Amino acid sequence: MKHRTIIEPFRIKSVEPIGLSTEAQRAEQLKAAHYNPFLLRSEDVVIDLMTDSGTGAMSAHQWAGVMEGDEAYAGSRSWVRMEKAVQDLTGMRHVLPTHQGRAAERIIYGHLGGAGKVFISNTHFDTTRANIEYSGATAIDIPIPEGQDPAAQHPFKGNMDLEQLDQLLKQHQGRVGAVILTVTNNSGGGQPVSLANAEGVSAICKRHGALFMLDCCRVAENSWFVKHREAGMGNRSYREIAQRMFALADGAVMSAKKDGMVNMGGFLALRDADLAEACTNLLIITEGFTTYGGLSGRDMEAIATGLDEVFDPHYLDYRIRSTTFLGDRLHELGVPLMRPIGGHAVYIDAKALYPHIPPAQYPGQALVCELYLLGGIRSVEIGSVMFGKRLEDGTETYHAMELVRLAIPRRVYTQSHIEYVAETFEEIMRTRDRAKGFRIVKEPRFLRHFTAHFEPLP
Ligand code: F0G
């Protein structure tokens, strides 16, 4: 018999209690956190969908590896295992271990960047953009047009616009730091990138002599979409598809906190020996020696195992189909969504949900606060709070989309947790006309969404 029900392909071996709260308690907690979920205490959160980064559950095999970790300063056996796992997957010879993705970004983009340099991506993730801009360089996003329309149906909405890429590389000849393809495209809705698009990017970069970097933190999830949506890929394994994508790039940056299936870790992988040497010098100054970088031996053990487990077809099937399950439930309720549903998260179009709240009053922030208030659900605004900017003259820029992300931690929540989230949305839909906008009362210059303070508008 073929079952309809997609079960979690694991048994639960260890549990962590969830603190349940009342709406009145959460109203107090939200106020104390200045209406910014990043400032909430996690013990006050019922279902934490803030991020899929570093929030997953490790397997028994990974936990066993934690005890096996070799904590030697130099030449650790755990490093040898992790280096080999990354080399086998990426086909790249030089591997630099970092404590997380942004550390690898700081090293490579700090080195390649600087005033006058230009970086081009399908969409730079916020830390990627911040590291590039902090170096003085400019970051340009060129997703395909369908990728910017939440309702547009396209199998690979994460793709990069190849025509624009070609033009930009011509226009900025000699000033391009790197071209960065983010798979899946997190800030663009967790949407996948096709192998054909990656091939196009690679060919155009080669023609212009530009460095092609893969931001591969969700490369296994991306491979699921390629296998199921791209012609001729159905018979390839997920790992093989990922390897084909890596083969097209000159280097890769990975936050292992996603498809590395660990709570902390990352790496930079490169083909070019000279570039790797320059980056290694920065690694030693700011992260650690070459055979541990920013990691403990036990972390490196867990990464080596995680990079293998993530390509298990039963796991990937469950992973993608459980994200889709939540998306489908919300779609049935009439919640405006980024569709088709992406890999690690469901993205809600807050602009369409709350048409009475203008971008200057942050409709995404309004939804994030409602979700916490009604269900203790923590989510993240991916719109003008995250990507808008306060300019020197006090005016503000706004993002093209006002999204809210419900990111699903790996192997953590069961189907009833997800049903609870859907039920909370029934109330969100019933009360949508009453939702109010916000104003920012305090914000830092970079990555303002993390620490900004808000106030509800009357
Ligand atoms: N690139 C992408 C595409 C990411 O999604 C992230 C992190 C990073 C780089 C940076 O990695 O956190 O290990 O330093 N994304 C997390 C998220 C934070 O919630 O989407 P990091």
Side-chain angles (χ1 to χ4, degrees), residues 38 50-54 99-105 123-128 131 182-187 215-218 253-258 264-266 344 347 380 382 386 405 407 450:
F38 279 103
M50 170 164 263
T51 179
D52 64 320
S53 179
H99 79 275
Q100 62 184 88
R102 70 197 70 183
E105 291 173 344
T123 311
H124 293 84
F125 182 65
D126 59 354
T127 59
T128 320
N131 271 299
T182 309
V183 301
T184 57
N185 188 13
N186 184 8
S187 311
D215 179 335
C216 65
C217 63
R218 298 183 182 88
V253 166
M254 182 168 200
S255 166
K257 299 168 74 170
K258 286 85 170 169
M264 191 52 72
H344 67 295
Y347 292 71
V380 162
I382 302 199
M386 186 179 272
R405 185 181 75 171
F450 286 133

Side-chain angles (χ1 to χ4, degrees), residues 352-407:
L353 179 68
Y354 297 141
H356 60 290
I357 304 177
Q361 296 177 8
Y362 315 115
Q365 198 66 23
L367 176 57
V368 155
C369 289
E370 284 289 287
L371 276 170
Y372 181 71
L373 202 63
L374 295 174
I377 298 161
R378 182 153 67 171
S379 56
V380 162
E381 193 266 9
I382 302 199
S384 292
V385 174
M386 186 179 272
F387 291 114
K389 256 203 196 115
R390 182 91 45 201
L391 304 176
E392 299 280 329
D393 64 3
T395 58
E396 212 179 2
T397 64
Y398 302 102
H399 194 56
M401 294 191 275
E402 303 292 342
L403 302 177
V404 165
R405 185 181 75 171
L406 306 174

Side-chain angles (χ1 to χ4, degrees), residues 102-156:
R102 70 197 70 183
E105 291 173 344
R106 174 175 45 77
I107 289 172
I108 179 88
Y109 303 138
H111 173 68
L112 297 170
K117 289 289 179 70
V118 169
F119 291 76
I120 303 162
S121 176
N122 45 348
T123 311
H124 293 84
F125 182 65
D126 59 354
T127 59
T128 320
R129 172 174 286 277
N131 271 299
I132 288 166
E133 291 179 349
Y134 191 74
S135 83
T138 305
I140 304 173
D141 292 339
I142 48 165
I144 56 168
E146 291 89 339
Q148 286 160 296
D149 174 0
Q153 288 287 326
H154 187 289
F156 293 102

Side-chain angles (χ1 to χ4, degrees), residues 288-408:
F289 183 62
T290 53
T291 63
Y292 70 87
L295 297 170
S296 301
R298 53 181 169 269
D299 296 330
M300 299 193 284
E301 282 291 335
I303 291 172
T305 302
L307 286 176
D308 183 42
E309 287 182 358
V310 76
F311 288 104
D312 171 16
H314 299 300
Y315 162 73
L316 272 180
D317 245 358
Y318 140 78
R319 169 71 177 157
I320 305 296
R321 293 177 71 172
S322 56
T323 305
T324 307
F325 175 79
L326 174 60
D328 287 348
R329 291 301 299 271
L330 299 190
H331 182 62
E332 285 161 19
L333 294 173
V335 180
L337 301 174
M338 182 93 178
R339 297 184 76 231
I341 305 301
H344 67 295
V346 174
Y347 292 71
I348 295 141
D349 182 354
K351 213 191 250 177
L353 179 68
Y354 297 141
H356 60 290
I357 304 177
Q361 296 177 8
Y362 315 115
Q365 198 66 23
L367 176 57
V368 155
C369 289
E370 284 289 287
L371 276 170
Y372 181 71
L373 202 63
L374 295 174
I377 298 161
R378 182 153 67 171
S379 56
V380 162
E381 193 266 9
I382 302 199
S384 292
V385 174
M386 186 179 272
F387 291 114
K389 256 203 196 115
R390 182 91 45 201
L391 304 176
E392 299 280 329
D393 64 3
T395 58
E396 212 179 2
T397 64
Y398 302 102
H399 194 56
M401 294 191 275
E402 303 292 342
L403 302 177
V404 165
R405 185 181 75 171
L406 306 174
I408 321 281

Side-chain angles (χ1 to χ4, degrees), residues 167-289:
Q167 267 169 21
L168 285 168
L169 289 179
K170 243 181 252 154
Q171 186 186 336
H172 297 287
Q173 181 70 37
R175 284 185 283 132
V176 176
V179 173
I180 306 162
L181 192 62
T182 309
V183 301
T184 57
N185 188 13
N186 184 8
S187 311
Q191 297 293 327
V193 174
S194 70
L195 206 49
N197 188 253
E199 278 162 6
V201 172
S202 175
I204 294 169
C205 284
K206 280 210 175 71
R207 199 158 67 235
H208 292 276
L211 191 81
F212 174 18
M213 296 292 298
L214 209 60
D215 179 335
C216 65
C217 63
R218 298 183 182 88
V219 68
E221 292 172 3
N222 197 78
S223 297
W224 188 93
F225 291 102
V226 169
K227 183 179 169 86
H228 296 277
R229 291 188 188 165
E230 197 160 353
M233 289 295 135
N235 290 327
R236 316 237 168 226
S237 73
Y238 296 117
R239 193 180 162 81
E240 208 182 322
I241 290 168
Q243 284 168 328
R244 283 176 73 145
M245 199 161 262
F246 281 115
L248 298 165
D250 299 307
V253 166
M254 182 168 200
S255 166
K257 299 168 74 170
K258 286 85 170 169
D259 279 353
M261 309 280 263
V262 294
N263 302 117
M264 191 52 72
F267 62 79
L268 169 63
L270 293 165
R271 292 189 198 284
D272 184 75
D274 292 338
L275 183 57
E277 195 182 321
C279 289
T280 300
N281 291 333
L282 294 172
L283 179 81
I284 296 172
I285 294 170
T286 59
E287 285 285 289
F289 183 62

